[in-house]
């Protein structure tokens, strides 16, 4: 599978849940490629914007879409990586604010 195929596979299911891909296609495809690299490297698609522990159980909270996406999108209109966004964010109806890291420090390396 390549980045475009992953995009095409995820887009309809995520949009059905109210999450949209960032309109910056180059950014999104780079993140899709990084997810595929992580899948090859670790055996799972860990968040490409965070350092994985190479242990699926320890990284459960950062399996894409991560456990923080819902709160990030609800509060900021975008997830930490700016991969998933709300309709309002996508349409420029809300500011594109910096999304702070929600992952607890004890889970980071």
């Amino acid at each position: 599978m390549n980045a475009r195929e992953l995009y095409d596979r995820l887009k309809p299911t995520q949009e059905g849940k109210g999450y949209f891909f960032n309109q910056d296609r180059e950014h999104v495809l780079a993140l899709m490629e990084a997810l595929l690299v992580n899948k090859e490297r670790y055996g799972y698609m860990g968040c490409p914007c965070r350092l994985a522990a190479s242990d699926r159980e320890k990284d459960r909270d950062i399996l894409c879409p991560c456990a923080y996406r819902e709160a990030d999108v609800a509060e900021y209109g975008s997830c930490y990586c700016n991969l998933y966004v709300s309709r309002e964010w996508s349409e420029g109806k809300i500011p594109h604010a910096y999304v702070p890291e929600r992952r607890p420090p004890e889970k980071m390396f």
Side-chain angles (χ1 to χ4, degrees):
M1 178 180 304
N2 64 37
R4 180 62 197 193
E5 291 168 333
L6 181 59
Y7 174 92
D8 290 341
R9 178 182 284 177
L10 294 176
K11 187 175 189 295
T13 59
Q14 296 306 311
E15 285 184 358
K17 297 175 184 178
Y19 298 101
F20 301 86
F21 285 130
N22 188 325
Q23 289 185 5
D24 181 344
R25 184 67 52 100
E26 188 174 319
H27 175 71
V28 169
L29 291 177
L31 290 172
M32 293 285 146
E33 186 60 41
L35 285 169
L36 292 170
V37 167
N38 283 348
K39 184 173 184 174
E40 179 70 25
R41 182 180 293 153
Y42 306 121
Y44 53 90
M45 290 194 296
C47 175
C49 299
R50 295 176 168 107
L51 184 61
S54 195
D55 178 323
R56 185 181 185 97
E57 190 56 38
K58 287 181 181 177
D59 291 336
R60 183 171 301 284
D61 64 319
I62 60 168
L63 297 179
C64 189
C66 75
Y68 312 105
R69 176 184 73 169
E70 184 176 346
D72 286 349
V73 173
E75 186 172 349
Y76 299 100
S78 170
C79 72
Y80 181 67
C81 297
N82 296 134
L83 174 62
Y84 291 107
V85 301
S86 68
R87 184 181 307 276
E88 295 79 15
W89 193 96
S90 185
E91 294 174 351
K93 293 180 179 176
I94 61 173
H96 293 184
Y98 170 76
V99 179
E101 174 64 270
R102 287 182 192 269
R103 193 173 199 211
E106 62 272 10
K107 291 194 169 213
M108 294 187 254
F109 300 90

